[in-house]
Amino acid sequence: MSNYIAVIFETEKKASDGLHKLWQLDTDGEMTVHGAAIVRRDDMGEVQVSHKHTDAGMRTAIGVGLGALLGAFAGPIGVAAGIAGAAALTVAAGVGAGAVAGAVVGGAADAIKSADRSDMEHQPFFVLDQGQYAVMAEVSETRDSALDDAMKPLDGKVHRRLNDDVFTGVYGREYYGSHLYPCYYEPRFM
Amino acid sequence: MAQHETTLDGARIAAQELHRKVMANIAKAQAGTEAELKIVSDDAHKLAQSISSEAASQTEAVKTHLNAAVAKLEAAGAHLRASADTGKEHIKQANAALLDGAHAAAQSVSHAVAILRGTTAIQKPATPKVIA
């Protein structure tokens, strides 16, 4: 059984280091990374996905899929937003579709934050604040502490969601993973 | 590290490398050629054969993931053979099919590797705690 993880960072540098560290853990056999990518929420509230400089053909699909994954991490409201984001893909073939999905998810996150901020720290979901970065990944862990210990020096906060039928019920088990890079890449934001 | 784990790790790296190659070809857009497409297509075919061979000696759980990887790679190859088109649009569509195949194959093999790593971790004796 695998987990989806989101590790939150305050800077792009730390997020990049976090992604590198994640794949290093895989190389060392401490865990298995099935796919990973970095997203950031910019100062306008939109969620953007870092990408390889060569991935022109994939960027839109990755943006929409990870927008949905972020929404799923954000709880029931976010899941609904993720659905809206994915629906946008079917009608918007342009490059902006990923940003549309991200913006919707960001809006949902704000709704949760303003309504229930005091309880947020005790919930298994999170809000990606403006200016923050998240390393999103699907992983198989043999022990939780390997990831937690590796991200601690980078001030990365680890969130997990089991890749089970409940979590993936909306899109199916393979949906989110298909939007993550299956190998390490040097992240870059446009 | 067990032999199967080593072999599967190699297959996984090959699938990841195939993904990178297809991405590079897609990035060339209009400059992509049929010759480059054939190279990655041949790589995909060889990888499918290699994974298929490896699957035969694996447990059912691992085999399921490996067979899924083979199916995806073969589907990408079939897409190429079925298309009578040539030219830039053909290259574009073929690369998209190959990317999908390489992506899915890399992740399926990754899940197979995770099962083997998990098994190895369980079989390893616990490290004795040193009590001061």
Side-chain angles (χ1 to χ4, degrees), chain A residues 97-115:
Chain A
V100 170
V104 173
V105 171
D110 275 342
I112 295 169
K113 185 163 60 176
S114 60

Side-chain angles (χ1 to χ4, degrees), chain A residues 2 17 22 25 40 83 92 97 100 107 126 143 149 186:
Chain A
S2 60
D17 289 348
L22 190 71
L25 288 171
R40 75 169 172 188
I83 294 167
V100 170
F126 72 94
R143 59 183 178 93
D149 292 348
E186 288 289 344

Side-chain angles (χ1 to χ4, degrees), chain A residues 15-40:
Chain A
S16 292
D17 289 348
L19 181 69
H20 189 269
K21 189 67 189 174
L22 190 71
W23 282 106
Q24 187 60 51
L25 288 171
D26 179 287
T27 302
D28 295 343
E30 294 284 345
M31 63 191 301
T32 307
V33 181
H34 306 303
I38 297 180
V39 300
R40 75 169 172 188

Side-chain angles (χ1 to χ4, degrees), chain A residues 8-10 39-43 45-47 109-110 113 117 120 126-134:
Chain A
I8 312 303
F9 297 96
E10 296 298 327
V39 300
R40 75 169 172 188
R41 191 170 180 211
D42 66 18
D43 292 339
E46 290 190 355
V47 176
D110 275 342
K113 185 163 60 176
R117 178 76 196 197
M120 281 300 298
F126 72 94
V127 168
L128 188 65
D129 285 329
Q130 291 183 7
Q132 284 187 323
Y133 295 77

Side-chain angles (χ1 to χ4, degrees), chain A residues 146-169:
Chain A
L147 178 63
D148 295 338
D149 292 348
M151 297 302 159
K152 203 172 288 179
L154 300 170
D155 300 320
K157 188 171 183 185
V158 181
H159 300 262
R160 292 178 174 83
R161 275 295 178 107
L162 190 63
N163 183 14
D164 61 10
D165 291 337
V166 175
F167 184 62
T168 59

Side-chain angles (χ1 to χ4, degrees), chain A residues 37-58:
Chain A
I38 297 180
V39 300
R40 75 169 172 188
R41 191 170 180 211
D42 66 18
D43 292 339
M44 302 297 287
E46 290 190 355
V47 176
Q48 300 176 341
V49 183
S50 76
H51 58 89
K52 289 178 64 171
H53 68 284
T54 57
D55 75 343
M58 287 189 74

Side-chain angles (χ1 to χ4, degrees), chain A residues 2 23 25-27 29 31-35 52 54-58 138 140 142 163 177-184, chain B residues 1 5 12 15-17 19-20 23-24 26-28 99 102-104 106-115 117-118 121:
Chain A
S2 60
W23 282 106
L25 288 171
D26 179 287
T27 302
M31 63 191 301
T32 307
V33 181
H34 306 303
K52 289 178 64 171
T54 57
D55 75 343
M58 287 189 74
E138 183 188 6
S140 291
T142 48
N163 183 14
S178 67
H179 295 94
L180 296 163
Y181 287 92
C183 49
Y184 176 73
Chain B
M1 190 175 285
E5 195 174 346
R12 184 179 175 218
Q16 291 172 331
E17 187 55 34
H19 184 271
R20 288 193 181 97
M23 293 280 272
I26 288 174
K28 289 176 185 172
L99 184 66
H103 195 139
Q107 292 195 321
S108 291
V109 179
S110 177
H111 280 281
V113 167
I115 291 172
R117 284 178 174 177

Side-chain angles (χ1 to χ4, degrees), chain B residues 26-56:
Chain B
I26 288 174
K28 289 176 185 172
Q30 295 301 313
T33 66
E34 292 278 355
E36 289 166 335
L37 180 62
K38 177 149 189 355
I39 290 171
V40 290
S41 177
D42 288 348
D43 284 351
H45 181 63
K46 286 177 194 166
L47 181 59
Q49 286 184 318
S50 169
I51 295 172
S52 182
S53 170
E54 180 62 25

